């Protein structure tokens, strides 16, 4: 629509798209706040939030892929004289 | 909880927190996908997605603040010999 | 190197890669700090940092592309009854 | 400088700040490219780039903090019936 004529702008259509996106972004923001609240609640119950985030991310990872990456990591850490995981 | 004893981990509580976070992240992912779909639909209808995103972000900005920033921007662009907005 | 044997790890080679990356990351961090300092200096001289960042990003943009995007943006803003740039 | 008068803009000063920032950003971009090259070279030599990045980030972490985080992580993974690191 780069060389569009002002009158060709479908105002209602544009307005509808903008409002749909804004409603969804509002909803998404609400859920982000909910996630923050759960982490805050977990922290309040003595859980380590940083580790809890790590658990959540590990649970998304394919188990075999995770095992392989951790095996290679241990190899590299040993080669560098660092403590393994 | 840094020097926690393994048995003290409230397994059910930890599991509940993890599942709540995962459910919310799933929901959030779904809404992100919905937003992408709306932008794709707008693109399909001839709208410029990059500009549409700019409109959405401008609508979040306080009108006075936006006017002031744009006025200063024009000043700087003029000072640098660049075309103003 | 997924099924690598521990002894095959070229320790010196790995160490060399790690140290090269760390040196470069150190250098990069130094330059990031320098950039922050210039913005702080500009702020101290009365310049608006947010607008200055905008100027820097606009100067990276192709002039024609910028003009086109701003023209479309004005169209959309007008269609939505918002003040144009 | 929000209600600044156009003539008060220190053009030379603004130009100097802009050029200093652009030069530094150019330098930073160059180093980022160098880092990418080292990772590519490491990959070409059979190293796993994802694990190499993990090693680099672990080396930035305080050893005690890392040990503690990994201990807690193992506790949580055990509590959730997942394989530990």
């Amino acid at each position: 629509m780069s060389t569009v004529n002002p009158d060709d702008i479908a105002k209602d259509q544009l307005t509808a798209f903008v409002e749909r996106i804004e409603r969804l972004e509002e909803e998404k923001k609400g859920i982000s706040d909910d996630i923050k609240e759960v982490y805050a609640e977990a922290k309040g119950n003595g859980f380590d939030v940083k580790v809890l985030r790590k658990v959540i991310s590990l649970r998304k990872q394919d188990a075999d892929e995770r095992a392989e990456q951790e095996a290679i990591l241990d190899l590299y850490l040993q080669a560098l004289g660092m403590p393994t995981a």
Side-chain angles (χ1 to χ4, degrees), chain A:
Chain A
M1 183 171 258
S2 58
T3 53
V4 75
N5 176 317
D7 308 325
D8 295 348
I9 291 277
K11 290 180 186 173
D12 299 343
Q13 206 181 19
L14 175 60
T15 306
F17 282 127
V18 166
E19 286 170 357
R20 276 168 68 192
I21 290 166
E22 287 178 341
R23 250 194 327 274
L24 286 166
E25 283 193 348
E26 196 67 37
E27 230 179 293
K28 188 177 163 185
K29 170 89 174 45
I31 293 176
S32 292
D33 294 343
D34 293 346
I35 292 173
K36 271 185 210 145
E37 270 169 42
V38 177
Y39 274 114
E41 198 184 317
K43 186 171 184 178
N45 280 275
F47 289 99
D48 184 303
V49 167
K50 213 170 156 186
V51 175
L52 191 50
R53 286 185 194 283
K54 177 72 177 168
V55 167
I56 299 281
S57 91
L58 284 178
R59 284 167 60 100
K60 286 176 191 150
Q61 207 179 359
D62 167 76
D64 294 339
E65 191 204 315
R66 180 189 151 203
E68 186 188 330
Q69 294 270 304
E70 285 177 358
I72 299 171
L73 179 61
D74 278 354
L75 276 179
Y76 288 12
L77 294 175
Q78 277 173 48
L80 295 166
M82 290 172 65
T84 56

